Amino acid sequence: MAKEDRVRYWNVSDDWPAGKVPEEGEDVHIEPGWSMVFNLNPSPVYKLIRVNGNLTFENTTDTHLRCKHLFVRAGELNIGTAEYPMEKNARLTLYGERNAETIVYDNAIEAGNKLIANVNKVRMYGKSRGWQLTRLTAPAPRGASELYVATGLDLGAGDRLGLLPTSYSPHAIDDVFVSSYDNETGRVTVNSSLSYYHWGQATSTGPDYNGLDMRGEVLLLTRNVKIDAEDVESWGGQIITGDTIEVFDGVTTSRAGSTVMDNVEIFNCSQIDSEHAALRFESAATAYSSITNSTLHNGYGWGLSVVSSANILVANNNLFKFRPMGLVLSGARNVTVEGNVVSGIVERETLEYDSDHVVDKGGGYSICALDATPCSDIKVRNNIAAGVVYAGFVTIGHDCGVYD
C-alpha cells in the first residue's frame, strides 16, 4: 500500500478508522501506509499493538505507551533518530502475569506473553549521557549514604547507579538512586545506606598492576528512553527480534528483523526460569542490528541472548542484576561483543535441583558454550565481568594438544 501524504496523531479521534482513540484492552492496528505519531502520557493498557505502518514517538513531549503485546510486523517503530535522539522521556511498559494469554506472532516467533516482537524494523535513540561507568575515588563503607566518584559527570537526582563488588562475593553489589551530586567534588548522596563495602581511591592502581584499575566500578543505569515491565509474579517482559517467512494465498513473503538501540534503558525484563532474555535475537540472521550505550538491569532471568542469529554489534552496554546468565551467544555468526560491563549475575533461587551433583549453568559472558551449536566470526574484546557466579567468561574448549 502506498504511503499516505499526511501524518496521523494518536490522540486525534478522526485519525482512527473507528472515529475514536483506542481504549483500554483494545487491539490497535497501525495500518500499512500510515505515519502515526504516538503522543499520550500515559496511554491505556492495550491488548495488542500490531505495527504494519510507521509508528513514531513524539519528540517534543514526554510519552508513555502501555500494552501487553507489541508486534512490529511489516512496519517500523521509531523513537528518536541517529541525527536527532529523543530529547524528552519516552517509555514503553509491558503488562501481564506468567499465565497471561500468549500469542503466536505469525509462524516466526515463539508463543509468549508480555512481549515486543520485531520481524521488521525497530529504531530507538535516547539522549547520550556521555559516560558508561566511573570509579570510586574514595572507599564507600557499608552503611554509608554517600560516595565519591569522578567530577564533571552528567549525573543528577533520580539517576540509578550500580556499585560493583570489590570483594570475592558476586552478591556484594549495591543498587541505589542519586539524591544529589556535587559536580566539583564528585560527592554523591544516595537514597539508601550501602549494604556492602566498596573500595576506591583517588588514583588508578593501573601503574602498579600492569594497567589493571582495581577501584570499584559505578555504573550509570538511567536513560531517557526506557522499556520496562509491570512488576508482577517476578515475571518480566521480553524483547525479541527474528526473521520470518509468511505464506498467504500462495504468496510467500520474507521478513528480516532489525533492531537498533542506542542509549536505551531496559528494566524488569527477562522471564524467570526460562531462556527468555530481557533482549534476545532468535533466528535473526539476515539484517543488521546493534545494541550500544544502553543498560539492561534488574531481571529475574537472562540479560541478553543471541541465538542462531547474525550481523549484530553489542557494544558499550551495562548489564546488571540478572540470573544466572548475563550475555549468551549460541549458534551466532558475525557478532561483535565489545566494551560491555556485566555484573551482579547470581544463582537462581527458584530452580529445584540436586546441587551436590548438578551445577546449574551460569556466568557473565557465555560465548558459544551452552551447547554444540557452532559459532563463527565472533569477536569478544575489552569487556568487564564483575560479581558473577561460576565464571566471568565461559567459552568452548578444545582437546588437549589441539591448537588449530
Side-chain angles (χ1 to χ4, degrees), residues 126-134 151-155 220 222-223 262-263 293 316 318:
K127 184 168 27 177
S128 173
R129 299 300 301 272
W131 64 285
Q132 177 185 9
L133 66 84
T134 184
T151 60
L153 299 175
D154 176 9
L155 182 63
L220 177 63
T222 302
R223 299 292 189 271
D262 184 68
N263 284 292
N293 305 306
N316 305 316
N318 292 333

Side-chain angles (χ1 to χ4, degrees), residues 10 34 37 48 54 69 83-84 88 106 137 173 223 236 285 295 308 317 361 364 370 384:
W10 199 287
W34 285 13
V37 175
L48 167 67
N54 192 319
H69 309 265
E83 296 75 18
Y84 301 100
K88 300 296 184 177
D106 296 331
T137 58
I173 57 177
R223 299 292 189 271
T295 72
S308 301
N317 304 290
K361 53 191 173 186
L370 284 182
I384 294 174

Side-chain angles (χ1 to χ4, degrees), residues 83-148:
E83 296 75 18
Y84 301 100
M86 179 63 65
E87 288 293 326
K88 300 296 184 177
N89 294 314
R91 184 178 177 188
L92 200 163
T93 301
L94 296 167
Y95 284 77
E97 58 282 342
R98 182 192 291 255
N99 294 322
E101 180 182 1
T102 62
I103 292 180
V104 177
Y105 297 87
D106 296 331
N107 63 344
I109 306 300
E110 175 188 350
N113 59 23
K114 218 168 185 176
L115 176 70
I116 298 173
N118 172 35
V119 296
N120 200 55
K121 186 176 180 181
V122 169
R123 298 290 183 267
M124 298 184 182
Y125 297 90
K127 184 168 27 177
S128 173
R129 299 300 301 272
W131 64 285
Q132 177 185 9
L133 66 84
T134 184
R135 302 273 181 173
L136 290 172
T137 58
R142 178 181 179 182
S145 58
E146 68 174 21
L147 52 110
Y148 285 84

Side-chain angles (χ1 to χ4, degrees), residues 333-362:
R333 175 175 54 83
N334 188 27
V335 175
T336 297
V337 178
E338 182 170 11
N340 303 282
V341 180
V342 173
S343 181
I345 311 302
V346 298
E347 304 91 343
R348 287 190 276 187
E349 299 175 351
T350 52
L351 185 67
E352 296 183 2
Y353 63 96
D354 182 359
S355 59
D356 292 332
H357 299 91
V358 176
V359 176
D360 189 19
K361 53 191 173 186

Side-chain angles (χ1 to χ4, degrees), residues 140-146 190 192-194:
R142 178 181 179 182
S145 58
E146 68 174 21
V190 296
S192 59
S193 299
L194 299 180

Side-chain angles (χ1 to χ4, degrees), residues 211-229:
L212 178 63
D213 192 345
M214 295 191 291
R215 298 177 295 169
E217 298 94 341
V218 180
L219 306 183
L220 177 63
L221 302 176
T222 302
R223 299 292 189 271
N224 70 316
V225 174
K226 177 187 288 189
I227 300 172
D228 65 350

